[in-house]
Amino acid sequence: MPGTAQAAPAGPAAGLAAGGASSPAAGALDKARAAAAQTFRSPADRTVRTALPAGRNTAAGAQAQSVAGNPGLAVGVEGVAITAHGVVLQSEITSEAVPLDVVIDWGDGKVEKSTANGSGVVEHVHTYAKLGEYKVTVTVTDAANGVKAVNTLPFLTRGGDFTPHAPTRLLDTRNGTGAVAAKVAPRGTARVKVAGNAKVPAGVQAVVLNVTVTNTVADGHVTAWPGAGSERPITSNLNYTAGQSVPNLVIVPVGTDGHVELFNGGWGSVDLIADVTGYFTQSEAGGYTSLSPVRAVDTRDGLGAAKGQVAGQSAFDVQISGKNGVPAGITAVALNMTVTDPRQDGHLSAYPSGQQAPITSNVNFAAGQTIANAVIVPVGPDGKISIRNGAWAGADVVVDIVGYYSPAGKAAFTPFAPVRTIDTRDPESWYGEGPVPARGYIAQWFAPDSDAGGVEAIALNTTVTNTKEAGFLSVAPSPFPWLLNDHPDAPQPPRPNSSVLNWTAGKTVPNLVQASAGEHAIVHYWNQGWKDVDLIVDLFGIYESN
């Protein structure tokens, strides 16, 4: 039946390519990048001036002079971290109108040379192979006057690499873990200590949390943001209804005070739970490699596991490394995990093989419910993970792999302040054509082909609402460039057989998606149900390769 984690029977697809050469999705990405850019400065008054040795004076017939020659020679340096690994360096030179040699030592063993003439700004762009802190040295030489000016800029790459963390509970308002044992009030906030907690290091850039809301008495939503003086965004990370327990994976920047804020956007009190499964730091660790979603487990037909429902209070192992395009040596895997046809209420937990099952949960479900959640889980030494059914009765489990982290991975993550890029409910938005049609899709363009090669994946929160009957959403990269997506007679892309979220009639359902950007940085959102639905997409971050 539609709404389960498999594709519904094949039928005609209504392709709705939205956007175009002026697509606000690409514009939103550019703005988010600009807003997240980090600027480093070393002003001109830090310039060190020295005289050249006599033999270095190359001007014809000139004699080596003292530092008094070209007395105003100086250089101010500004570096802007524009991408995960890149820097735009501007050297502002003050000088007499004479020829100058400019040398940039990037601090990674690479040197770049150029020339200038008198005062002005010289710009260079560089990409570092590895994340980390570098000492950039700019040397401006005035050979005619026998003097040089040197300025040094400490620079830190913007992107973050991933370190997996054994699932650990940081917050549980039901029992006082990480906070007072009390429900979070309507329009209230719970603070989660991240940096320096549960062996998460100080200086952490962003954290991966599985956030669960439970004991709900009214409809509402939860928003995660870094706090510490930053403005709470209007976006949501998970939505809930009265009496519902809802989990969702969240990747959120950590505030300067080492905390993350969780806002209860409902008009009733709720309990909140937050489990850490990993974190990002601005140093070399595990880079990300995205995959077009591939189904690794389906207990309904025996794919990747024994055929038949997973018994209550039991676990099974899943081979991750060495299958489905995933190599050996990975540290963690990004999944979409779905439970369907459970016989009782319960939860699923994913964890590294060979370890004891944690008390944390990744998917919470009610009897008969089909529900999915994104999961990032460390992989055991044998390349496997374990999945446990915490209910007292059987349930079917479906697992789709969307990417993996490894020391060989080249894509680093940059978190953004959330930006809403699609809201089909809003006729004034850039996609103003109404709900996503049944069995149809929307194409969203995030970067032109000239930039697409550096975009590995895009972190999004997708929410489906105004649902009329059961269905499910698939997200996949476009196999075609934008000019084909935007054409009325565009060829139909292959229909995905994976799911990122499932819904039933009348429900509003969110889920985090780490969408592969593919070759063209274009993402397709497929409504795999048989009724139109409204779709909301919020941009949270980007993985960029070096």
Side-chain angles (χ1 to χ4, degrees):
M1 68 181 256
T4 62
Q6 64 184 12
L16 293 175
S22 60
S23 167
L29 180 57
D30 289 341
K31 289 180 181 178
R33 276 173 160 168
Q38 298 171 345
T39 301
F40 302 81
R41 295 183 178 90
S42 183
D45 59 13
R46 296 181 183 174
T47 301
V48 177
R49 288 166 43 87
T50 57
L52 297 177
R56 291 290 304 277
N57 190 328
T58 58
Q63 299 294 321
Q65 299 180 11
S66 68
V67 180
N70 198 352
L73 183 64
V75 57
V77 186
E78 178 177 284
V80 181
I82 54 168
T83 62
H85 296 83
V87 56
V88 173
L89 190 75
Q90 290 191 332
S91 304
E92 185 175 0
I93 300 170
T94 301
S95 172
E96 302 293 337
V98 294
L100 303 170
D101 294 319
V102 182
V103 177
I104 313 295
D105 184 337
W106 294 106
D108 60 353
K110 296 184 179 180
V111 174
E112 190 169 348
K113 298 178 180 180
S114 62
T115 59
N117 197 310
S119 296
V121 176
V122 180
E123 185 171 286
H124 297 81
V125 178
H126 185 67
T127 299
Y128 289 98
K130 296 182 178 182
L131 300 179
E133 188 170 357
Y134 295 90
K135 186 174 73 172
V136 181
T137 303
V138 179
T139 302
V140 179
T141 301
D142 176 359
N145 288 289
V147 63
K148 68 178 180 180
V150 180
N151 201 342
T152 300
L153 176 74
F155 176 79
L156 179 65
T157 52
R158 189 179 75 177
D161 266 8
F162 182 73
T163 299
H165 191 291
T168 304
R169 186 142 294 172
L170 300 183
L171 174 74
D172 191 337
T173 61
R174 300 171 302 177
N175 60 21
T177 299
V180 176
K183 296 178 77 172
V184 181
R187 317 299 290 178
T189 299
R191 302 185 76 236
V192 184
K193 180 174 174 54
V194 176
N197 190 12
K199 297 183 179 180
V200 177
V204 61
Q205 180 190 35
V207 64
V208 179
L209 298 174
N210 197 65
V211 177
T212 302
V213 61
T214 190
N215 296 327
T216 57
V217 295
D219 297 357
H221 67 274
V222 175
T223 299
W225 87 102
S230 63
E231 184 177 353
R232 172 169 51 85
I234 63 169
T235 55
S236 63
N237 294 94
L238 60 87
N239 298 65
Y240 59 86
T241 57
Q244 189 181 28
S245 293
V246 181
N248 198 15
L249 195 70
V250 174
I251 303 177
V252 58
V254 177
T256 55
D257 61 355
H259 288 72
V260 166
E261 310 276 351
L262 299 178
F263 171 73
N264 172 20
W267 294 105
S269 298
V270 300
D271 277 310
L272 291 175
I273 304 163
D275 304 318
V276 59
T277 62
Y279 53 87
F280 293 88
T281 55
Q282 289 172 272
S283 56
E284 199 77 1
Y288 186 65
T289 301
S290 65
L291 298 173
S292 294
V294 56
R295 183 143 295 173
V297 173
D298 192 335
T299 60
R300 297 170 298 183
D301 58 18
L303 174 65
K307 186 175 182 179
Q309 290 200 324
V310 182
Q313 300 294 302
S314 68
F316 66 97
D317 289 344
V318 181
Q319 183 66 49
I320 300 296
S321 297
K323 296 184 66 175
N324 300 308
V326 180
I330 70 168
T331 57
V333 63
L335 309 170
N336 203 69
M337 193 160 63
T338 304
V339 62
T340 188
D341 198 25
R343 297 180 182 176
Q344 289 185 359
D345 296 1
H347 66 272
L348 296 181
S349 297
Y351 53 98
S353 64
Q355 297 186 10
Q356 185 176 357
I359 63 170
T360 59
S361 62
N362 297 100
V363 182
N364 295 66
F365 53 84
Q369 184 182 26
T370 295
I371 187 170
N373 197 22
V375 179
I376 298 176
V377 58
V379 175
D382 57 359
K384 298 179 181 180
I385 64 169
S386 298
I387 298 175
R388 183 177 184 272
N389 175 13
W392 292 98
D396 278 308
V397 177
V398 179
V399 177
D400 297 316
I401 300 176
V402 300
Y404 57 88
Y405 299 87
S406 70
K410 296 181 179 180
F413 180 69
T414 299
F416 295 150
V419 179
R420 183 146 292 174
T421 63
I422 292 179
D423 189 342
T424 62
R425 303 167 302 176
D426 182 3
E428 301 300 321
S429 69
W430 72 273
Y431 179 75
E433 300 182 39
V436 186
R439 307 292 292 157
Y441 70 94
I442 292 176
Q444 189 173 35
W445 180 54
F446 283 93
D449 277 356
S450 59
D451 295 333
V455 181
E456 178 71 18
I458 302 163
L460 307 165
N461 204 69
T462 55
T463 303
V464 168
T465 191
N466 295 327
T467 55
K468 301 177 182 66
E469 66 176 31
F472 68 99
L473 181 76
S474 298
V475 179
S478 171
F480 312 123
W482 186 253
L483 290 178
L484 290 181
N485 278 273
D486 197 36
H487 195 278
D489 299 322
Q492 293 297 331
R495 182 179 295 277
N497 68 351
S498 59
S499 65
V500 299
L501 61 84
N502 300 67
W503 66 83
T504 54
K507 296 296 185 182
T508 295
V509 182
N511 200 10
L512 177 76
V513 180
Q514 301 206 112
S516 170
E519 183 180 354
H520 306 290
I522 300 167
V523 175
H524 287 170
Y525 308 94
W526 287 83
N527 172 11
Q528 301 275 36
W530 294 95
K531 296 288 186 180
D532 296 356
V533 296
D534 276 311
L535 175 67
I536 303 161
V537 178
D538 298 319
L539 171 66
F540 281 86
I542 184 174
Y543 288 92
E544 296 172 293
S545 70
N546 60 5

